[in-house]
Amino acid sequence: MRILNHDDVAIALRSGAFSPVRAVQDAYMAHCLGQTALPLSCFLRPLGHQDDRIIALPAHLHGQQDVMGIKWISSFPGNTERGLQRASSVMVLNDPRTGYPVAVLEASQISATRTAASAALASQTLHGMKPVLTAGFIGSGTINRRVLDFLVALHSDLRAIRVQDVAPERATRFARSALVAHPFLDVEVRQSAQDVLQGSDTVSIATTDSTYWLDLDNDSAGEDQVILHLSLRDLSTASILAATNVVDDVEHVCRAGTSIERAAEESGGSAFISATIGELLSDARELPRNGKPIIFSPFGLGILDLAVAGQVLDFADINGLGSEIGGFDPGRQQFSDSRRSG
């Protein structure tokens, strides 16, 4: 069993030896082609703590890579008030031939990386050839910090960002770190989400709010503006139904109290969803261009974690990262003479 801790995973992700965006893209396309096994994720909500959750995401990716395993990821929003990260995660990877566990990885970085990479890939795909000059960020936590890095990498014409958070000091810290990492950017802290929406080509929403509080209106949402609805429960039902909608998987995202599920319940089905991101990447469907905002609502598929984790494990094997620990296989099958008698 290969054990990769936080530092091991960080070294692999920062190495530049592989592209998380490419890994995510290949996983989406494999899913579109039916080369994945993807059961519905399972939510555990601790008794008496309904704002907290731990999610199990099992999956098998059989595309460019052959990776099988499960991510176990927690979200405890109150951690931020304790000076801790909101999310923590661990992954177990299994040998697709035997089912034996072969690796355990600290996975919070993998989860944040695949989420951010998928968001930036969606922005690039949904904008097509249109330049992205300004990006907005509603919520200034770890996810949006990573989204910014990937947007800069994929949108070479990005020159300005706008950020808003319910805690202004967090938005200020986000702005300062953005300037250090990307000094060419014009960075502004805005007072409201509507201020961020106004004039931004792409807007990434990553908050801990689950009250469907945000309305897109004609005064703020621009023509063909791309909204990366990463936290899934911010946008109102009216906003969803008035937009062009793209998801990662229709069945997965129409559950667990997402804005998409609420829109499906109100409209009597999922016909308002125009395409999946895999269909667009595979040229299996064309997105309508009607001047409406384009909302990308990704449920967050376990195959994306597997795609990035598989690359991390390959890098670790080549470069000797992590620790090997024995005793995690069940041993050889033992046959007794009594089974052969009679």
Side-chain angles (χ1 to χ4, degrees), residues 103-216:
V104 173
L105 301 86
E106 192 285 319
S108 65
Q109 301 167 92
I110 291 172
S111 187
T113 296
R114 65 83 153 154
T115 300
S118 69
L121 175 64
S123 178
Q124 182 186 60
T125 304
L126 300 177
H127 277 295
M129 300 302 293
K130 182 181 176 182
V132 174
L133 304 176
T134 303
F137 298 88
I138 299 173
S140 56
T142 299
I143 295 299
N144 265 347
R145 289 171 186 260
R146 296 294 289 132
V147 172
L148 170 60
D149 294 335
F150 281 104
L151 286 178
V152 168
L154 294 190
H155 291 303
S156 60
D157 39 18
L158 184 62
R159 290 296 177 267
I161 68 169
R162 310 290 181 256
V163 59
Q164 181 269 341
D165 196 286
V166 292
E169 66 276 8
R170 288 203 298 260
T172 299
R173 288 197 297 270
F174 183 104
R176 289 172 179 165
S177 66
L179 281 172
V180 171
H182 312 289
F184 60 89
L185 290 175
D186 172 28
V187 180
E188 290 185 17
V189 175
R190 295 291 177 90
Q191 298 302 308
S192 71
Q194 297 299 337
D195 289 340
V196 171
L197 288 165
Q198 184 70 45
S200 295
D201 301 305
T202 286
V203 178
S204 180
I205 307 173
T207 80
T208 58
D209 202 314
S210 299
T211 61
Y212 320 102
W213 59 280
L214 184 56
D215 288 307
L216 303 181

Side-chain angles (χ1 to χ4, degrees), residues 126-338:
L126 300 177
H127 277 295
M129 300 302 293
K130 182 181 176 182
V132 174
L133 304 176
T134 303
F137 298 88
I138 299 173
S140 56
T142 299
I143 295 299
N144 265 347
R145 289 171 186 260
R146 296 294 289 132
V147 172
L148 170 60
D149 294 335
F150 281 104
L151 286 178
V152 168
L154 294 190
H155 291 303
S156 60
D157 39 18
L158 184 62
R159 290 296 177 267
I161 68 169
R162 310 290 181 256
V163 59
Q164 181 269 341
D165 196 286
V166 292
E169 66 276 8
R170 288 203 298 260
T172 299
R173 288 197 297 270
F174 183 104
R176 289 172 179 165
S177 66
L179 281 172
V180 171
H182 312 289
F184 60 89
L185 290 175
D186 172 28
V187 180
E188 290 185 17
V189 175
R190 295 291 177 90
Q191 298 302 308
S192 71
Q194 297 299 337
D195 289 340
V196 171
L197 288 165
Q198 184 70 45
S200 295
D201 301 305
T202 286
V203 178
S204 180
I205 307 173
T207 80
T208 58
D209 202 314
S210 299
T211 61
Y212 320 102
W213 59 280
L214 184 56
D215 288 307
L216 303 181
D217 58 53
N218 293 333
D219 293 330
S220 59
E223 184 174 312
D224 291 330
Q225 182 183 51
V226 171
I227 308 293
L228 307 172
H229 188 207
L230 306 184
S231 38
L232 288 174
R233 299 165 186 86
D234 296 276
L235 292 178
S236 66
T237 300
S239 296
I240 295 290
L241 294 177
T244 298
N245 287 278
V246 176
V247 302
D248 50 4
D249 182 280
V250 175
E251 181 182 13
H252 282 252
V253 80
C254 286
R255 59 189 294 264
T258 65
S259 297
I260 294 289
E261 182 186 34
R262 285 165 59 94
E265 291 172 350
E266 181 170 316
S267 64
S270 60
F272 63 92
I273 298 174
S274 296
T276 68
I277 189 68
E279 290 172 335
L280 298 177
L281 290 168
S282 304
D283 294 324
R285 188 169 297 191
E286 187 173 341
L287 191 68
R289 298 289 175 176
N290 49 23
K292 297 179 180 179
I294 304 169
I295 299 175
F296 176 55
S297 298
F299 194 75
L301 306 181
I303 54 172
L304 306 187
D305 300 284
L306 292 182
V308 176
Q311 299 280 17
V312 168
L313 183 59
D314 288 346
F315 180 88
D317 287 340
I318 294 171
N319 293 277
L321 292 177
S323 304
E324 288 287 345
I325 300 178
F328 282 89
D329 64 72
R332 292 288 181 180
Q333 179 69 48
Q334 300 296 319
F335 294 97
S336 66
D337 291 339
S338 61

